Amino acid sequence: MRTTKTIAALAAALLAAGTLSACGGSGASTSSSAAGSGVLNIGMPNGAQSDNNNPFLSSSAANSLGYKNVIYEPLVMTNIVQPTQAGTPWLATAWKWSGNYTTLELTIRNGVTWSDGQPLTAADVAYTFNLVKSNTALNQYAIQFGSISSSGNTVTLTFAKSQYVYQTHILNQFIVPEHIWSKISNPATNAVTDPVGTGPYTLTSFSGNTATLTRRSSYWQALPQVKTLHYTSYLSNTTQTQALTDGEADWSFVFIPNPSVTYTAKDPSHLKLWFPAVLGDHGLWLNTTVKPFDNANLRVAMNDVINRQTIVKTGEDGYFYPEVTSNTGIPTPAGTSFISSQFSSSNTAVDVSAAKALLTSTPGFSYSGQNLMYNGKQVAIQLSDPAGWSDYDTDLTLIQNDLKTIGIDATVSQPNANTWTTNVADGDFQGVLHWTNSGATPYDLYATILDGYTPIGQTANGDFGRFQSSAATAALEQYATASTDAERSAAMETIENIMVTQMPMIPIMAANAGGEYSTKHWTGWPDETNPYAPAQPTLINSLQIILDLKPASGS
């Protein structure tokens, strides 16, 4: 069973997305899913929940189950599956960056009301950003805000440096009403039991582990055809999957082993899943302070023998985390446009002979029989991930076998999750399977791998492998602050070259923004032929999906 690794991985990888734990809890919705009743049942295997709907608190039920997104709305709706696609105007009808992304002017939509009847104003938007600016716990991207002001229906924000790489995070900011939040003493921790937002739904009840939301009588755009939403937190992956196959839940994000047998085969015409790649990675992090893993040729050789197809097919059941096929580590097709022409054909492929040839040409390495030696000792590595992270555990066993093909003595250990998390942050490991952050460009992915060096023994928030490269640091800064696309492309090419030739982290799988859903009662879901939004029910686009749903024929 996949455990709370999921919440950490997706929190770091997706915008946040990231409120996805796949463990714990109980509860089951007893309401009909039939479109004729106007009900949509959404489930998550996230365990016990409490009646807390603070949108800033990642552990609140509103975040964990995803219904925050139908109450509180963003300024702009963007699509992480197609990150280069222009955003859709939402609470902002227009936005304009100037001064190399150091000034943002927002035009706020007229005619929008909060669910308590008061009008949304530009002052509410300015207040929300000032709230984030003045509360470190709310400013998760450490954005350096300057002045924030409003006049009429215009909001103007200035920043200390270019926000090119953070522009999507800023435009995705959900807005809260000043007349409510100015009375909340601690916005980062206080419970919110009666949330007031601009979205088309209001919370009408919270019972056990099920939240019920009801469609408002009016909304600034066409009302959704879904009248009632039930968000339920289930006991485990197993009970959540059972709810999907039994028709008790219409939509979820859950790891389903062998889904072609345990899920889609139960109703092939209606039970669907779609797990598109986004710009984040899961890969093998090597502690580059431990010899001989400080050697770039060794890391490149290890990359050359990892069989990603087998890992995805066996460890991830062929769908959950898509294979990374580019040695740059950039997932495709989401990131295809970011891969420079120099590396467009630098694709992953198992090549044991090439790996051995590279090693034997590298000073210090040799072979004794089938064993890879470094300065007279066999190269050995301990790979670790927490027990119970079933997919990761399987993945590591497969990687262990792959590394043995070039004579590396790899072993696998399984500490408890808390110990492992501390060890990764402190640099007390040799090799781990771990994830990167993700975003609208590869910057977030690469910054996690290459930036923020922290000495061993001190807690790191990124660069867990302690890779040091002044060239990488400079290229990341150039990408973030460049004033032209040509400068950004040049910086990205430098970063990709470091990845391909030095493999500071070995990318294996892409992060996803997927979900499972049923078309029996509702149609209009996104899929590979119509990727208008990620299919994950806890992302901001879940509102966009709900607005697009139509009753299925015969429902």
Side-chain angles (χ1 to χ4, degrees):
M1 165 182 145
R2 181 182 301 265
T3 66
T4 51
K5 186 264 288 191
T6 306
I7 189 170
L10 274 296
L14 296 176
L15 300 180
T19 52
L20 306 175
S21 166
C23 70
S26 61
S29 170
T30 57
S31 299
S32 168
S33 296
S37 64
V39 174
L40 179 69
N41 287 324
I42 303 162
M44 288 293 294
N46 285 5
Q49 304 290 320
S50 59
D51 187 7
N52 185 340
N53 308 290
N54 186 333
F56 293 107
L57 185 61
S58 62
S59 60
S60 72
N63 259 311
S64 177
L65 301 182
Y67 60 85
K68 172 193 81 174
N69 302 304
V70 301
I71 298 174
Y72 299 98
E73 296 185 286
L75 293 163
V76 180
M77 191 73 74
T78 58
N79 181 2
I80 59 174
V81 177
Q82 297 182 315
T84 60
Q85 185 182 69
T88 300
W90 218 258
L91 294 185
T93 58
W95 56 98
K96 180 182 179 181
W97 290 96
S98 59
N100 191 23
Y101 294 90
T102 58
T103 299
L104 173 63
E105 185 177 282
L106 296 157
T107 303
I108 307 306
R109 187 179 298 278
N110 291 318
V112 179
T113 60
W114 298 101
S115 55
D116 63 1
Q118 295 204 33
L120 166 76
T121 66
D124 289 312
V125 176
Y127 172 80
T128 300
F129 280 113
N130 274 310
L131 195 64
V132 173
K133 175 184 176 181
S134 59
N135 289 269
T136 302
L138 308 186
N139 191 0
Q140 61 176 310
Y141 299 105
I143 291 170
Q144 299 177 38
F145 290 98
S147 62
I148 301 171
S149 61
S150 64
S151 176
N153 70 334
T154 300
V155 175
T156 303
L157 299 90
T158 66
F159 305 90
K161 60 185 296 186
S162 173
Q163 296 302 305
Y164 176 79
V165 296
Y166 296 118
Q167 57 180 300
T168 298
H169 301 312
I170 294 167
L171 295 174
N172 285 163
Q173 177 62 52
F174 59 84
I175 305 304
V176 298
E178 182 178 10
H179 65 279
I180 300 291
W181 283 81
S182 60
K183 301 171 187 176
I184 294 177
S185 59
N186 190 333
T189 60
N190 281 22
V192 175
T193 56
D194 186 19
V196 173
T198 58
Y201 295 92
T202 57
L203 180 67
T204 51
S205 70
F206 189 97
S207 177
N209 284 330
T210 297
T212 298
L213 291 93
T214 303
R215 188 179 66 185
R216 291 172 56 180
S217 59
S218 62
Y219 181 47
W220 61 266
Q221 56 181 315
L223 281 167
Q225 296 195 36
V226 178
K227 299 175 183 177
T228 304
L229 300 169
H230 293 295
Y231 287 82
T232 298
S233 195
Y234 286 86
L235 175 66
S236 65
N237 286 6
T238 302
T239 54
Q240 174 63 81
T241 303
Q242 188 72 41
L244 286 166
T245 57
D246 287 351
E248 193 175 86
D250 301 301
W251 189 11
S252 184
F253 172 88
V254 58
F255 179 69
I256 302 176
N258 197 12
S260 62
V261 174
T262 60
Y263 172 62
T264 54
K266 305 295 183 181
D267 186 356
S269 297
H270 299 113
L271 294 179
K272 310 295 181 181
L273 57 81
W274 182 49
F275 282 76
V278 298
L279 295 181
D281 281 348
H282 294 252
L284 182 63
W285 297 69
L286 302 170
N287 191 330
T288 63
T289 69
V290 176
K291 286 187 177 297
F293 303 103
D294 60 339
N295 188 288
N297 282 357
L298 174 60
R299 298 193 299 268
V300 170
M302 293 169 70
N303 173 71
D304 286 346
V305 298
I306 291 177
N307 192 324
R308 292 163 174 81
Q309 289 184 356
T310 299
I311 290 170
V312 170
K313 181 178 179 180
T314 305
E316 303 301 329
D317 283 280
Y319 78 100
F320 199 75
Y321 292 133
E323 177 186 358
V324 170
T325 58
S326 171
N327 282 317
T328 65
I330 296 178
T332 55
T336 301
S337 64
F338 295 101
I339 300 174
S340 70
S341 58
Q342 180 181 351
F343 302 111
S344 60
S345 60
S346 178
N347 295 323
T348 59
V350 176
D351 194 336
V352 175
S353 296
K356 286 185 174 181
L358 177 61
L359 290 168
T360 54
S361 67
T362 303
F365 291 93
S366 62
Y367 276 92
S368 175
Q370 298 299 313
N371 297 332
L372 177 63
M373 311 298 288
Y374 178 73
N375 290 342
K377 294 182 179 180
Q378 184 177 8
V379 176
I381 186 170
Q382 184 181 79
L383 309 173
S384 67
D385 273 305
W389 291 10
S390 58
D391 61 327
Y392 262 26
D393 294 339
T394 300
D395 296 343
L396 275 191
T397 299
L398 295 169
I399 292 170
Q400 175 189 26
N401 293 332
D402 290 338
L403 297 181
K404 288 181 179 178
T405 65
I406 53 171
I408 296 176
D409 180 20
T411 57
V412 175
S413 68
Q414 296 179 332
N416 67 55
N418 289 338
T419 298
W420 178 82
T421 301
T422 299
N423 289 346
V424 171
D426 291 348
D428 185 14
F429 69 92
Q430 293 182 341
V432 295
L433 199 58
H434 202 282
W435 52 90
T436 70
N437 290 341
S438 64
T441 74
Y443 175 86
D444 300 79
L445 183 163
Y446 284 141
T448 314
I449 300 169
L450 301 169
D451 202 21
Y453 170 78
T454 307
I456 296 293
Q458 296 182 24
T459 302
N461 292 314
D463 187 11
F464 300 113
R466 270 64 178 186
F467 179 77
Q468 295 188 70
S469 168
S470 58
T473 300
L476 284 166
E477 180 65 14
Q478 180 186 351
Y479 187 83
T481 60
S483 58
T484 67
D485 288 340
E487 290 175 348
R488 274 189 288 272
S489 295
M492 183 57 63
E493 185 169 306
T494 298
I495 296 167
E496 291 172 10
N497 182 65
I498 291 170
M499 279 295 295
V500 171
T501 61
Q502 300 186 51
M503 282 293 157
M505 184 275 272
I506 299 174
I508 297 175
M509 304 170 293
N512 75 60
E516 297 92 355
Y517 53 82
S518 171
T519 62
K520 185 173 183 178
H521 301 299
W522 296 99
T523 62
W525 303 95
D527 58 23
E528 61 275 6
T529 65
N530 186 22
Y532 69 87
Q536 196 165 302
T538 60
L539 299 182
I540 63 170
N541 309 81
S542 59
L543 171 57
Q544 191 177 13
I545 293 170
I546 290 168
L547 289 170
D548 274 19
L549 293 181
K550 303 290 189 295
S553 176
S555 291

